[in-house]
Amino acid sequence: MQAFIVHRYGDPTARRIGDVPLPEPASDEVLVKVHAAGINPLDSKLAAGAYKAVLPYRTPFILGHDLAGVVERIGRGVTRFQPGDAVFARPRDGRIGTLAAFIAVNEADLARKPANLTMEQAASLPLVGLTAWQILVERAHVEAGQKVLIHAGSGGFGTIAIQLAKHLGAHVATTTGPANLALVQRLGADVAVNYRSERFEDRLEGYDLVINTQDKATLERSIGVLKPGGQLISLSGPPDAEFAREAGLNPLLRLVVGAMSAAIRRKARRHAVRYAFHFMRASGAQLERLTPLLENGTIQPVVDRIYPFAQIAEAFAHLESGHARGKLVVRID
């Protein structure tokens, strides 16, 4: 079968389509015929070698963290799915590889595809949907009336996080470029800050939660908009000791990883706020909790472009340009 393979870390020319053996599902796995796969900044960072210390994939490996497709075959211990079921998923770390014709996915990571969505729409959702759910619902426990700032609201994560935060009853602010102000307002943002012409910290104050996806400078500036006791949660790093523990790193690596976030944690403590790094995890059960919100239109996928598999290099070039509105999806032919 064909797949998009990373042959060497850090070399974009070493990512290319090639042939690999058809995977054989284990007893608790489902073999899925992939119809569409979303691509994410995580894919680019992983291929560049940014996470080698904590996600040590051996090259060559197949890239891709989002999928929608149809169950082809099930392992002998699988009870929740049958051949022919339409599904979507973010496979767990260590078992990624959705940019391929087929993938074996642990049963616990899968959920049935929302009935109203196309394969391409469904493929755009698992990673960003799970990330938004885990931060807003599971970690920050966002409640009605709280104030949430979501940076980069027109991106893949931002477009979903805005909608989920509004569903939870939050007052939502976001940052975006001038071309996307109308988009984020349509998605529900109460305040849309044009980062090209104004500083978000000059307009915003008293926030309960800031979710950062941007650079170090934006992370540090975000502390000033939080009220005492507020939370600053970053998807772009630096990682913290809690993440290192959850990742099962050895004691030495835990110290190294913890030191990476020491400065921002100290600055957060001086302002009486909390800092945390979040790295999402796979969960079919959480996708199932998101499904009713997708089927009733509370959360709507935002897909910028759909690329054929043969044009996957162009898809990554668009992703890495930083100008995508919502998600980019590859159709697996």
Side-chain angles (χ1 to χ4, degrees), residues 132-201:
W133 184 273
Q134 288 166 14
I135 292 177
L136 293 167
V137 176
E138 185 178 69
R139 189 161 198 161
H141 308 290
V142 169
E143 298 177 348
Q146 290 188 317
K147 296 169 70 175
V148 176
L149 167 59
I150 299 165
H151 282 296
S154 63
F157 168 75
T159 54
I160 301 303
I162 288 170
Q163 295 177 79
L164 180 57
K166 288 303 297 180
H167 169 69
L168 297 171
H171 170 93
V172 178
T174 192
T175 56
T176 192
N180 295 317
L181 291 171
L183 169 65
V184 298
Q185 290 166 341
R186 177 175 62 79
L187 295 173
D190 299 287
V191 180
V193 179
N194 177 357
Y195 69 82
R196 293 191 184 277
S197 62
E198 49 189 342
R199 291 167 58 87
F200 63 86
E201 63 267 42

Side-chain angles (χ1 to χ4, degrees), residues 304-326:
D304 184 336
R305 296 183 193 175
I306 300 169
Y307 289 84
F309 191 51
Q311 294 179 14
I312 195 166
E314 289 89 336
F316 271 94
H318 186 186
L319 174 74
E320 291 160 5
S321 75
H323 298 308
R325 290 161 51 101

Side-chain angles (χ1 to χ4, degrees), residues 206-318:
Y207 275 67
D208 298 275
L209 171 67
V210 176
I211 306 175
N212 180 61
T213 57
Q214 304 299 293
D215 58 14
K216 178 182 177 182
T218 302
L219 180 69
E220 293 180 347
R221 290 162 53 202
S222 296
I223 290 176
V225 311
L226 286 163
K227 70 180 186 181
Q231 298 183 72
L232 173 58
I233 298 177
S234 180
L235 301 178
S236 55
D240 56 13
E242 182 181 351
F243 164 73
R245 285 193 298 271
E246 292 176 350
L249 303 185
N250 65 51
L252 178 59
L253 277 176
R254 290 182 193 179
L255 287 173
V256 172
V257 170
M260 295 170 69
S261 60
I264 189 65
R265 287 187 285 112
R266 282 195 300 269
K267 187 169 185 178
R269 284 196 299 270
R270 287 198 297 269
H271 288 78
V273 301
R274 293 167 287 163
Y275 170 79
F277 172 72
H278 185 80
F279 195 89
M280 62 80 59
R281 68 185 189 281
S283 174
Q286 289 182 348
L287 287 176
E288 289 175 349
R289 295 186 68 180
L290 280 166
T291 293
L293 302 179
L294 295 164
E295 291 185 332
N296 66 21
T298 299
I299 297 176
Q300 299 179 11
V302 179
V303 176
D304 184 336
R305 296 183 193 175
I306 300 169
Y307 289 84
F309 191 51
Q311 294 179 14
I312 195 166
E314 289 89 336
F316 271 94
H318 186 186

Side-chain angles (χ1 to χ4, degrees), residues 28-41:
D28 59 353
E29 290 183 331
V30 173
L31 183 66
V32 178
K33 180 177 174 58
V34 182
H35 285 223
I39 62 172
N40 301 275

